[in-house]
Amino acid sequence: MSKKKVLVTGGAGYIGAHTAAELVLAGMEPILVDDLSRSNMSLVEGLEQICGRKMLFYRIDCKDPIQLRTVFHEHPDLTSVIHFAAFKSVGESVLQPLLYHRNNLGSLVSLLEVMKEFSLKHLVFSSSCTVYGQPDVIPVNEEAPFKRAESAYGATKQMCERILEDETKADEQLRVVSLRYFNPIGAHPSGLMGELPIGTPNNLVPFITQTAIGKREKLTIFGNDYNTPDGSCLRDFIHIVDLAQAHVKALQLIDTAPSHYEPINVGSGRPVSVLELVNTFMSVTGVVLNYSVGPRRPGDIEKVYADTTKSFRLLNWKTKLTIEDALRDAWNWEKRLSHAAD
Ligand code: UFG
């Protein structure tokens, strides 16, 4: 039997490259596309080392239907698409909303148009728990209403989900699973792939590892006066490899999903505070972090973690790895990056 061929947009990115590794492990053939505007080939190189062979890679911009068509023409046997290609910096999206709307909405619309031309009917979409804002009920389930998005980035994720829902209503054959990620952290256990933040990291774990290695002087914990057990924010951190595996399960589900548009939370269901994560990093690595508590970061959600009932029921998936695993792997990746830079 021929291998399932899966188009992976944003395949050179953090989640895309890790997912490609899991697709290969599951016996599928990922075809990677990425415009490399927010990434470079280093994760693809790591992926090739992990898989022991070259990957099919196209440097194209997903917004451009002409470029997309060339890939679809070359691979008439594609069975499905996983769409990661998007800009993801919350702060940048506030400063440059049009850039985010054009890029994140434009690439999805072009992709759907070209999929329609080629009668490709299966799509897994990279969504985010950011669509919920601060939910009224936590753990949050997929029925929770979307709150007004704080950032243009969040708004694009909400709008992309709406576009997909509308399309599945209009096109009887189209089937879409939107995976709403909680906070992905960590790196591939091989040390060959991990996060590559551009400039100063906004996200907590790359900031922690860069402080630990000496690239940053000090970590600031944004607020300790929240209504949480230790006063710092609560999140649902999930190992990137667990997250990647959820995509394989989503592809397996897609044909038999109860609904043509299926949003599914991808989290561990376990709340962990920012302070707890910082302390766990220190105990797992033995590195003493230079940190202090600063003011709250505007726009931060106080607490959010996943109700995992649906992911377990429909995907038969739950997290296997721990935050300790994720922090150890993230630290190994940071050390490897710093050796490579020497
Ligand atoms: N934090 C700090 N110090 C830092 C960085 C972060 O204290 O230097 C805190 C934040 O205040 C927050 C927590 O760590 O309480 C997590 O912050 P991240 O920036 O790592 O993650 P967010 O939960 O804010 O947002 C992330 C992604 C979004 C995505 C969202 C939900 O950045 O793209 O998760 O998926 F939408």
Side-chain angles (χ1 to χ4, degrees):
M1 215 178 69
S2 63
K3 282 185 176 178
K4 249 189 171 187
K5 257 193 194 179
V6 184
L7 186 73
V8 179
T9 76
Y14 175 48
I15 308 180
H18 282 83
T19 298
E22 296 307 314
L23 293 175
V24 172
L25 214 57
M28 301 184 208
E29 175 70 26
I31 313 289
L32 311 180
V33 306
D34 202 302
D35 68 356
L36 302 181
S37 63
R38 301 290 164 103
S39 56
N40 58 48
M41 287 300 279
S42 56
L43 297 194
V44 178
E45 284 156 18
L47 173 65
E48 289 176 338
Q49 265 184 275
I50 291 165
C51 300
R53 63 175 175 85
K54 289 297 259 185
M55 289 288 133
L56 270 168
F57 178 86
Y58 295 84
R59 182 172 187 175
I60 64 155
D61 178 350
C62 278
K63 290 194 295 301
D64 181 356
I66 298 168
Q67 294 183 41
L68 268 179
R69 270 186 213 111
T70 59
V71 182
F72 279 70
H73 269 302
E74 277 190 39
H75 300 283
D77 50 346
L78 279 173
T79 54
S80 38
V81 180
I82 311 182
H83 182 49
F84 295 105
F87 291 163
K88 62 169 187 180
S89 163
V90 174
E92 183 185 47
S93 82
V94 174
L95 298 172
Q96 297 194 66
L98 282 182
L99 183 72
Y100 273 66
H101 289 293
R102 178 178 285 282
N103 188 67
N104 294 3
L105 303 180
S107 64
L108 178 66
V109 170
S110 295
L111 177 66
L112 286 170
E113 285 171 351
V114 177
M115 283 178 67
K116 202 191 279 262
E117 280 170 42
F118 286 80
S119 302
L120 199 57
K121 298 296 181 188
H122 290 172
L123 175 70
V124 174
F125 176 66
S126 173
S127 188
S128 165
C129 71
T130 202
V131 296
Y132 299 122
Q134 175 63 67
D136 296 327
V137 180
I138 44 171
V140 60
N141 70 30
E142 293 79 356
E143 306 297 314
F146 289 1
K147 296 283 182 63
R148 191 184 150 74
E150 288 271 352
S151 68
Y153 163 76
T156 65
K157 289 293 172 193
Q158 292 181 340
M159 284 187 251
C160 284
E161 284 213 28
R162 176 63 199 261
I163 291 168
L164 289 165
E165 198 175 354
D166 288 349
E167 263 310 290
T168 51
K169 283 184 191 147
D171 177 345
E172 285 253 300
Q173 265 117 41
L174 181 65
R175 285 172 174 271
V176 178
V177 172
S178 278
L179 296 181
R180 294 179 181 159
Y181 313 146
F182 284 69
N183 287 57
I185 59 167
H188 198 267
S190 64
L192 295 167
M193 296 192 296
E195 224 171 332
L196 282 175
I198 303 165
T200 308
N202 294 309
N203 295 119
L204 180 60
V205 169
F207 209 104
I208 289 177
T209 57
Q210 289 195 6
T211 307
I213 205 97
K215 263 196 224 169
R216 312 269 153 214
E217 206 185 308
K218 194 172 99 186
L219 168 77
T220 304
I221 303 216
F222 299 136
N224 67 351
D225 56 353
Y226 284 101
N227 182 24
T228 59
D230 66 20
S232 66
C233 290
L234 287 182
R235 290 291 182 276
D236 184 334
F237 297 100
I238 162 173
H239 196 296
I240 185 70
V241 171
D242 275 330
L243 178 74
Q245 286 169 358
H247 295 78
V248 175
K249 295 285 194 176
L251 287 178
Q252 290 162 349
L253 164 84
I254 208 161
D255 239 346
T256 52
S259 160
H260 289 200
Y261 182 70
E262 208 66 80
I264 305 179
N265 286 343
V266 181
S268 70
R270 179 177 169 236
V272 171
S273 78
V274 171
L275 273 167
E276 196 182 336
L277 197 82
V278 168
N279 286 326
T280 307
F281 178 83
M282 294 197 279
S283 69
V284 163
T285 62
V287 179
V288 178
L289 274 176
N290 182 20
Y291 76 88
S292 66
V293 175
R296 292 181 176 195
R297 182 170 70 176
D300 262 343
I301 303 296
E302 181 171 82
K303 44 190 158 191
V304 64
Y305 55 98
D307 181 325
T308 59
T309 314
K310 189 171 178 184
S311 59
F312 189 56
R313 181 167 51 83
L314 288 189
L315 300 180
N316 189 25
W317 168 94
K318 59 179 185 201
T319 54
K320 294 187 197 121
L321 299 166
T322 62
I323 57 165
E324 284 81 0
D325 296 324
L327 293 169
R328 200 177 298 117
D329 291 336
W331 181 228
N332 283 337
W333 169 246
E334 187 67 60
K335 285 190 287 189
R336 192 184 169 90
L337 283 179
S338 85
H339 286 148
D342 286 344

